[in-house]
Amino acid sequence: MIQLRLALRECKKEWMKHIPMILQMACILFLTIVSVSTVIYRFSYFIPFSDLWEHDGVVFYADALHIGEKEIYEKMEGVKDVALSYRYADLALDIEKPLIYSDKLLERYTPQLVSGKAVISNPEDPLPNVLVNESSGFRVGDQIRFYQIQYEYEWDDEGNIVDCWEKEPTESDYQYLRVSGVYPDNAKLLLLNGGAVDSELEDYRTVYNDISSLQAAGFTVVMSESEAQKYWTGDQYTVFGVGMIVYEDGMDSSVQRSNLEILKKNNTGPVWYIGNEELYADSHAYCFQQVYTMMPFIIGILVLFFLSMISVNSVSAVRKLRTYTIYRVCGMSWGKCLHIAAYKALLTSLIACILCGILMLVKDRFHLLSNFLVSFGWMQGLFCLLFLLLNMGIATVISAVVLRHAQINQLLHEN
């Protein structure tokens, strides 16, 4: 189209004059991404379980709970849903006690992956599919070699054990796990956050913990219960970490206390717990607190955006009157002149997007703004698209107003 070619020629001819506008737009887009990312970060940990926490129930932490999901349904009253996490300890070679999440937990929350995907159940693969942290050195498709610890015993004449030692594994003792996904080392996993509990926080932060806190040795493997059952049954590992129990709504408080006593009785250590009602209310308040905190900042961005775009586009439209006069004398209608203005706004917006993308790459490459949780997803993209459309709309409307009130004979006389 001729209007697009003319817009390209004008942008190329006057590129120096467009630099301030492009830089301003790129900065506004970047600030928008930062603002939206900060808000989304909080909600991303609350939303996966918000519908569970809306009902009566309890979220608990156990060191070694010796009853599984089936026993919880049998021994407790009014249980409507259960989601548990486990650990299997007797493995050797650099594996740090794999975290086994029930399928319900892993379906609801999986740490954001650097590569690959989380596999809940894959009957076609005989090897269990697992997630590993990035610094483990494993990549998607790799196999992790390990063996299950076995012991040899020495007995006396009366049948008593007098000594035991770890059996030296043979090649047939080794097994393998398949890496289906890799998560970053700063990821949060479902595991009691001791620091949060010590500070008496009662929102969702109590059920997440940084993966770095688990890295006492080796690396941490995360897998679903369905995948773990390819090697081990539920009888071979114990409930460890976070568990969630949902009751039928309206359950009597005395029944809930009785259910908690069953949890405490079947756990080898202390059981930390919090009611769903408190957890939901405090998590909801904590998430929206960030929205209220960011609101003045977001309003400031909007005001800056509108003022800058209106002023810059007004100056640009007036400055281009001479050019539009020439186009008009050559037979081009005001509507087509308006198309040129719209195309110029589109081109400058695209360049601003590219520059904003470069800023994001530089941030990631040099680990800038590490204290801010900046990411780019569909929500950030939606807000950026909204700003870009507003920019194009403002530029087109201002050009239309300026051109509409300018008479061609007056323009010829002045120019």
Side-chain angles (χ1 to χ4, degrees), residues 29-165:
L29 292 176
F30 186 76
L31 290 174
T32 300
I33 293 172
V34 172
S35 304
V36 176
S37 297
T38 304
V39 174
I40 288 177
Y41 173 78
R42 291 196 177 188
F43 281 92
S44 65
Y45 293 107
F46 172 55
I47 290 176
F49 302 103
S50 61
D51 61 323
L52 287 182
W53 298 342
E54 285 183 302
H55 301 282
D56 290 342
V58 63
V59 175
F60 68 90
Y61 173 86
D63 288 321
L65 185 65
H66 297 294
I67 56 174
E69 182 175 331
K70 180 180 178 181
E71 290 77 16
I72 288 177
Y73 278 110
E74 293 174 349
K75 295 183 178 182
M76 297 184 182
E77 295 184 38
V79 176
K80 187 168 65 175
D81 201 0
V82 178
L84 304 173
S85 57
Y86 312 88
R87 249 189 175 175
Y88 188 92
D90 294 329
L91 305 181
L93 286 186
D94 297 328
I95 295 181
E96 174 65 15
K97 297 179 181 178
L99 289 172
I100 302 170
Y101 292 125
S102 69
D103 295 1
K104 296 175 185 177
L105 281 182
L106 203 56
E107 284 173 351
R108 286 179 173 271
Y109 175 75
T110 302
Q112 187 174 3
L113 302 179
V114 175
S115 59
K117 63 180 180 178
V119 175
I120 306 298
S121 178
N122 183 9
E124 297 180 358
D125 191 345
L127 300 182
N129 287 259
V130 302
L131 306 175
V132 296
N133 55 298
E134 193 172 12
S135 64
S136 67
F138 289 101
R139 296 296 177 258
V140 175
D142 290 349
Q143 294 184 11
I144 302 173
R145 188 171 184 255
F146 71 98
Y147 66 89
Q148 298 184 162
I149 298 174
Q150 301 180 45
Y151 296 93
E152 294 182 334
Y153 302 92
E154 182 180 342
W155 312 78
D156 60 18
D157 294 337
E158 297 177 356
N160 299 315
I161 298 175
V162 295
D163 194 11
C164 71
W165 59 91

Side-chain angles (χ1 to χ4, degrees), residues 288-353:
F288 278 94
Q289 177 190 12
Q290 184 68 23
V291 176
Y292 301 143
T293 302
M294 295 298 297
M295 194 62 69
F297 185 66
I298 294 173
I299 293 174
I301 291 178
L302 286 171
V303 172
L304 173 65
F305 170 78
F306 281 110
L307 291 178
S308 61
M309 290 302 104
I310 290 173
S311 60
V312 170
N313 282 292
S314 298
V315 172
S316 177
V318 172
R319 190 173 61 238
K320 297 302 296 181
L321 274 176
R322 181 176 182 275
T323 303
Y324 290 133
T325 302
I326 295 173
Y327 293 154
R328 187 71 180 91
V329 170
C330 294
M332 184 178 289
S333 65
W334 286 126
K336 291 184 178 180
C337 289
L338 208 58
H339 290 166
I340 296 175
Y343 282 129
K344 286 178 62 179
L346 175 61
L347 291 171
T348 55
S349 297
L350 290 176
I351 296 172
C353 285

Side-chain angles (χ1 to χ4, degrees), residues 144-209:
I144 302 173
R145 188 171 184 255
F146 71 98
Y147 66 89
Q148 298 184 162
I149 298 174
Q150 301 180 45
Y151 296 93
E152 294 182 334
Y153 302 92
E154 182 180 342
W155 312 78
D156 60 18
D157 294 337
E158 297 177 356
N160 299 315
I161 298 175
V162 295
D163 194 11
C164 71
W165 59 91
E166 186 178 327
K167 176 187 173 184
E168 187 70 24
T170 62
E171 187 61 33
S172 60
D173 292 324
Y174 286 94
Q175 293 175 297
Y176 295 87
L177 304 172
R178 193 185 310 281
V179 177
S180 68
V182 178
Y183 58 87
D185 292 316
N186 61 350
K188 289 184 180 294
L189 296 179
L190 290 165
L191 190 70
L192 178 73
N193 188 335
V197 173
D198 292 341
S199 62
E200 298 182 352
L201 294 172
E202 293 186 345
D203 54 52
Y204 69 77
R205 288 172 290 177
T206 60
V207 296
Y208 293 95
N209 211 341

